[in-house]
Amino acid sequence: MPKTAQDGATESVAASSAEDQLVREGDIAGDYLERLLDVLDYDGDIDLDVEAGRAIVSIDGGDDLDKLVGERGAVLEALQELTRLAVQQASGNRSRLMLDIAGWREARREELTKLGTRTAKDVLASGESVRLRPMTPFERKVVHDAVARIKGVSSESEGEEPRRQVVVFRGA
């Protein structure tokens, strides 16, 4: 059935209201994180964005922010979950919000992309499957995306949280 102008307008309103909801999530998260920084007496600038169907909140600029990242991002992951819960409580909607602090997640994304690409090329050359160390869901997704860009290899996640691992193997 052909689309009508009204169908296009309805889709546009739906996309607009979905983006408005994500902007609202970002605002709620920003307010929550601002209060947290005040309580901790930490400096930081909060930036809100919408990207790939999710709210992105970044905190940059403070000297103490590394403490909010923690070892291998453990504190960052916990703060992200707390922020998602605060957004859910205020909005009534489950949030997929992504939090980055002091650029840690972006730097980690670059590092994991290199790891995934290098591992995929090694597997392609040797034919031997490689099991990587356990990773968070964010880390696994970045590695899977990197592996998917190399023809002749595939990846899948195996195991149970928190010991879930990426396995890279030859194949489609």
Side-chain angles (χ1 to χ4, degrees), residues 56-167:
I56 309 288
V57 181
S58 302
I59 304 174
D60 291 301
D63 294 333
D64 295 319
L65 294 181
D66 286 345
K67 294 174 186 171
L68 297 179
V69 173
E71 187 176 330
R72 294 192 59 225
V75 176
L76 171 59
E77 291 292 332
L79 284 174
Q80 178 174 276
E81 287 307 309
L82 289 172
T83 304
R84 286 176 173 176
L85 287 171
V87 169
Q88 181 175 346
Q89 184 179 26
S91 70
N93 297 322
R94 185 174 178 277
S95 175
R96 293 179 50 240
L97 172 134
M98 179 75 74
L99 176 62
D100 192 9
I101 299 175
W104 184 86
R105 212 177 275 280
E106 191 55 42
R108 186 73 176 133
R109 182 185 316 267
E110 289 175 25
E111 182 182 322
L112 290 166
T113 297
K114 289 176 186 173
L115 173 66
T117 301
R118 185 176 60 246
T119 303
K121 288 178 179 178
D122 290 349
V123 167
L124 195 56
S126 73
E128 299 286 323
S129 296
V130 173
R131 178 179 302 274
L132 300 173
R133 63 168 178 66
M135 297 180 184
T136 66
F138 160 76
E139 292 172 321
R140 289 193 311 269
K141 179 175 182 342
V142 173
V143 171
H144 286 305
D145 289 348
V147 170
R149 289 192 285 275
I150 307 295
K151 290 186 189 237
V153 292
S154 294
S155 63
E156 61 185 37
S157 293
E158 293 181 355
E160 300 296 320
E161 295 292 351
R163 309 266 333 136
R164 202 151 165 79
Q165 301 171 282
V166 174
V167 179

Side-chain angles (χ1 to χ4, degrees), residues 9-85:
T10 302
E11 286 175 9
S12 177
V13 167
S16 175
S17 78
E19 182 151 341
D20 290 346
Q21 174 62 32
L22 293 174
V23 168
R24 182 168 179 263
E25 284 184 17
D27 288 340
I28 293 166
D31 291 344
Y32 174 79
L33 292 165
E34 187 72 46
R35 289 191 308 274
L36 175 71
L37 291 175
D38 286 345
V39 166
L40 295 172
D41 197 26
Y42 284 8
D43 290 326
D45 299 319
I46 297 176
D47 183 44
L48 310 172
D49 200 5
V50 173
E51 191 177 295
R54 72 169 44 175
I56 309 288
V57 181
S58 302
I59 304 174
D60 291 301
D63 294 333
D64 295 319
L65 294 181
D66 286 345
K67 294 174 186 171
L68 297 179
V69 173
E71 187 176 330
R72 294 192 59 225
V75 176
L76 171 59
E77 291 292 332
L79 284 174
Q80 178 174 276
E81 287 307 309
L82 289 172
T83 304
R84 286 176 173 176
L85 287 171

